[in-house]
Structures are given as C-alpha cells and as structure tokens.
Amino acid sequence: MQELIIDKDFFDLIPPLTTEEFSQLEENILRDGIQDPLKVWNNTLIDGHNRYKIAQQHNLPFEVTEMNFESRNDAVIWIIKNQFGRRNLSAYDRSILALKLKPIIAAKAKENQIRKPVESVLEKSPKQKTIDTRQEIAKAAGVSDNTIAKVEKIEQKATPEVKAALKSGEMSVNQAFNEIKKVEKQEKIEQAKADIAAQFHEDNTLKARLTIGDGINFKPAEPYNLLLTDPPYSTDIADIDTFAQSWLPNALNFVRDDGFAYVFIGAYPAELKAYLNIAPPKHLTLTQILVWTYKNTLGNNPKDRYKLNYQACLFYRGVNAPNLNCPITNEQWAVQEINAPDGRIGDRYHAWQKPFEIAERFIRHSTKAGDTVFDPFACTGTFLLAAVKLGRNAYGFEINPDNAKIAFERGCANGG
C-alpha cells in the first residue's frame, strides 16, 4: 500500500466528520470499495484523509491523482474550494473555512497583486483590481461581509460550548454573536465600575468646608471648576424671579471657562421660566436641561394634575470645557433615574436632599482629582461630602444653622 504524507496544516483545513458520518463512510467503503482517487501533491495528501484512514485500518487498495500547484498557498486554496464543492456545510463552517484564506488574500492585497472577487483571485485571472479582504472571504464562503465579521468575532471570543452549539446547528451565527456582545457589554460595565472605584480617594487632608452664612454674593479668590448646587425652590421662595437673579449670575461668573455647572431647580413652570430667562455669562453656555427622576415619592395624589416625580437640572459648560467623563453609557442619559433619599431607610436628612449617587456622577463626569467644587446652598452637605470622597476640594455655604449642624455631623468641616 502506498504510504502518503499527512500534513497537519492541510489536515486542519478540513472540517472533521462526526462519529456517525465517519461510520457511514466506513460502511460504504467496506461494501463498495474506495471509488474516488485520493488527491496528492508531492505525495502529500490534500483530499481523502478519511478514506485514507479507513484504507489503512482495513488494508484496502486505493488510487491517487497527482495535483500540480505552484505554491503551498495554491494547495491551500484548492483544498478549501474543494470542501465548498463537496460538503453540505453550514454558514458558520463555510465562514470558518473561508477565514483560513485571510492571510493569503491579505498578502496579495499587501503586495498589490491580483485584486478581484475571490473566485477570480483563486483562478489567477490577470486582471488587476483593488482587493477588499473581507469581501473576498465573504464571497468565497457564500455569505455576507457582516456574517464573516461576526464569525471572526465568534472565533476570537466564543466559549467552546458556544462553538459546539454552532457546529451542531443548535445556535445560529447571530445568536452566538449576540451572546458575545452581551458578555462584552458586561465586561465594559465592570471595567467602567472599576475605573469609577479607582477615582475615590481616602485623603484625610481634604475637608468639605462649610461656612454658616449667606453665600449668594460670595466672591472667591479663585474661580472654581464646578458649581454644583440645589437652591431653594419656588415653593419656599416668595418671588422666584428676584431670587434667581440675586444669586445665579454671580455664581456662574466664578465658574472657570473650562469648568461646568449643575443647578437643580424645581419642575414648576414659574421656576423654569425664572431661571431660563437668565442669560449665562459669555464664557458659559446653558447646554441642556437635565432631569432627575425618582419613583419612591409619597404623599397624596393630586386630583387636577399629574404627580411630580422629577426635578430639572440646568447644565452649563465652559466654552473651553473638555468632554464629559462618562464610562457607563446610561450615566450620560439626560434623564437620571435614581430614587430619592428615603427617611424610612435612614438616609434622608432634608426634605429636598439629593441622592449621594447623582452628586458623585456629576462630579466624576465633569471634574478630576484636585479640582474645586463650590455649593452656595450646601444644606446638609451632600454635594460637598461627595466631592471630597472623590478627591476634590469642596467648600460652600449654608444659611440655616440647623442644616449646617447636620452637615457637620455628617463630616463637613466648619469653614468659619
């Protein structure tokens, strides 16, 4: 019996038979013999590996046909094309086979040699054309460019279980790709959370400095990077127009031109009008009206209107401000949905207190460690404490001594 060379690289190009398929082939050969010649190149087997194995096991005769190729790459191309012609392969298997052509096609592209659809490249037409590697691979497999891209990702990222499900037909290429995208999305979220956690600093030298007094007309020695505040709402102010004019222009004037400002206001029409009528200084723009919404509201339901479960937040950015740092996509939504602090679980110190989480988000998004955060209406200190926790300098004012006392109990330092 003629001894043939088994080249592992050539052998690996051929999708293996299942146990059942091999058994059926063996049964047919034992009954009818090896009907088709085995194909060889320089005595190296390029087609008929399973028939050759059965012939060796049962000492059966076979014929060979010598193939002529100019190079090893040409032999590879022939083997893959031959599999396409002889096997009933799934889109996944065809794509896997075609992807084995990638280095050959890429090399041709790099050398600026024959560039045409795959069938013509493999037939060595002399016509020159720019090669798109992925398109040629897709045409070789008889699938779309998109399918090739997905299969390539699957081969890189999928678990052995997913690949087995693809080969068995239990899972489609789209299903497998979507599973990978889910995993990648979760990995990105986990990495973003890790990046966020790394921003928190245990720096005992930083203090949330709170001064008891009126901060409306305060003029700092240096501009601050971030104005983050939650002033009294129209429900507690007799003349909201006058009040808004009394403090907002002054506070915005001292935001740096590469800084930001977040100003929480009530969702009442008169209050929105009062604040929107105030033109920001030239070095800032009112970029958006953000929304903080919550679902844990209590109290009686009004009969003549809808129950409010949101507040507005005016978002200003300096003309030279950098992009926001939002590693988690849903943190960059204009609507921030976070439950309000709840007295039933002991985390509410004031009726209009904002969640610590939203304070941390806005500070992380718009500042870096060492920046300065200012709050002229600090109340019980939530924004100042969140800033210091993130390694920012923070100071502010609170006119109500009772609120200031709570802020000091929570960890703020008396600013004098």
Side-chain angles (χ1 to χ4, degrees), residues 261-279:
Y262 297 86
V263 178
F264 285 90
I265 62 173
Y268 311 104
E271 191 165 345
L272 289 166
K273 179 182 177 182
Y275 279 98
L276 293 177
N277 277 337
I278 297 174

Side-chain angles (χ1 to χ4, degrees), residues 90-100 102 134 137-138 141-159 162-163 166-167 171-178 180-181:
S90 67
Y92 173 70
D93 285 328
R94 294 179 67 85
S95 298
I96 294 298
L97 268 177
L99 281 168
K100 296 180 186 294
K102 185 175 181 179
R134 181 175 290 172
I137 293 171
V143 299
S144 68
D145 296 6
N146 191 39
T147 296
I148 289 295
K150 289 178 178 179
V151 171
E152 198 163 16
K153 172 76 77 171
I154 289 167
E155 285 302 285
Q156 294 170 355
K157 298 283 189 176
T159 63
V162 169
K163 292 180 181 179
L166 276 163
K167 287 184 176 296
M171 181 179 286
S172 69
V173 169
N174 283 338
Q175 288 172 326
F177 182 76
N178 289 337
I180 291 171
K181 295 299 288 184

Side-chain angles (χ1 to χ4, degrees), residues 81-105:
K81 287 187 68 178
N82 190 53
Q83 294 303 307
F84 288 154
R86 296 184 59 178
R87 285 176 167 269
N88 184 20
L89 301 175
S90 67
Y92 173 70
D93 285 328
R94 294 179 67 85
S95 298
I96 294 298
L97 268 177
L99 281 168
K100 296 180 186 294
L101 293 170
K102 185 175 181 179
I104 299 173
I105 296 174

